Amino acid sequence: MEKRTVTMAGNPVTLLGKEAKVGEKAENFNLTKQDLSNYNFDESKGKIKIISVVPSIDTGVCELQTIDFNQRASQLKDVEIITVSLDLPFAQSRFCAAKGIDNIVVASDYKDREFGLKYGFLIDELKLLARGIVVVDRDDTIRYVEYVSEVTNHVDYDRAIEESKKLI
């Protein structure tokens, strides 16, 4: 398997797992919801999905990314937005309540890091997720992927929305 790297605060870090690529089938995965129940990606079958990947919702860029997609979600019909981090569900719940995040799914990959490994976002050295976006169509085919080369930078919000609108 090819070694892939990005940087975090200018320092190279290694991404574990298989790189997600446009045209591939999106793999199913499980996350933990804020109430500690299971979230299975198959729950979104038949919908267009934007998976917003963040290292920690308690940091500035991650907070802005989550707030931005929450605001844009109300403008997108038939699109489900799922924010994934390794934050504990309790921290996610506190954050969502404080920031009024109620238009998107915010769930944790903390238990098994299944999403991080299946989609190639898990940072080996930090055991956090790298920042990125995956857009999946109604047939569960990946249509857009962005791995941010510097984890502290923003994703291309407009491009992710543009790509998802093409699928509506």
Side-chain angles (χ1 to χ4, degrees):
M1 185 179 294
E2 175 183 324
K3 180 179 175 182
R4 298 176 308 114
T5 61
V6 294
T7 59
M8 184 154 188
N11 299 308
V13 291
T14 308
L15 297 181
L16 298 176
K18 182 177 168 281
E19 181 179 2
K21 295 186 179 175
V22 171
E24 293 180 341
K25 278 295 185 191
E27 289 193 57
N28 190 31
F29 57 87
N30 290 290
L31 301 171
T32 304
K33 294 179 186 178
Q34 295 167 34
D35 64 1
L36 300 180
S37 65
N38 187 61
Y39 170 85
N40 185 285
F41 190 57
D42 277 348
E43 291 176 29
S44 300
K45 272 209 179 297
K47 296 179 185 175
I48 298 162
K49 285 84 61 182
I50 298 174
I51 306 170
S52 172
V53 190
V54 298
S56 175
I57 56 173
D58 280 322
T59 60
V61 177
C62 299
E63 176 180 335
L64 292 173
Q65 183 171 333
T66 304
I67 290 169
D68 185 274
F69 279 120
N70 184 67
Q71 290 170 344
R72 292 179 190 233
S74 63
Q75 303 163 4
L76 296 170
K77 304 249 186 290
D78 298 324
V79 177
E80 181 166 66
I81 301 175
I82 305 129
T83 294
V84 181
S85 76
L86 288 173
D87 295 295
L88 291 176
F90 311 111
Q92 291 178 335
S93 180
R94 176 195 43 76
F95 172 86
C96 290
K99 302 298 179 182
I101 306 297
D102 55 6
N103 295 322
I104 63 176
V105 174
V106 178
S108 180
D109 196 25
Y110 85 99
K111 278 186 185 176
D112 299 314
R113 292 165 171 80
E114 184 179 6
F115 169 81
L117 289 168
K118 285 185 174 181
Y119 285 75
F121 280 94
L122 185 63
I123 299 173
D124 187 24
E125 295 84 352
L126 303 171
K127 301 305 185 255
L128 292 172
L129 298 177
R131 183 177 320 286
I133 298 287
V134 181
V135 176
V136 179
D137 70 15
R138 295 178 198 280
D139 297 321
D140 290 332
T141 300
I142 297 171
R143 295 296 177 193
Y144 174 74
V145 179
E146 178 184 4
Y147 292 90
V148 178
S149 60
E150 167 54 55
V151 176
T152 60
N153 291 342
H154 289 272
V155 295
D156 188 340
Y157 304 102
D158 293 333
R159 177 85 189 271
I161 297 300
E162 175 186 310
E163 293 297 326
S164 64
K165 283 182 176 179
K166 290 178 187 177
L167 303 172
I168 294 175

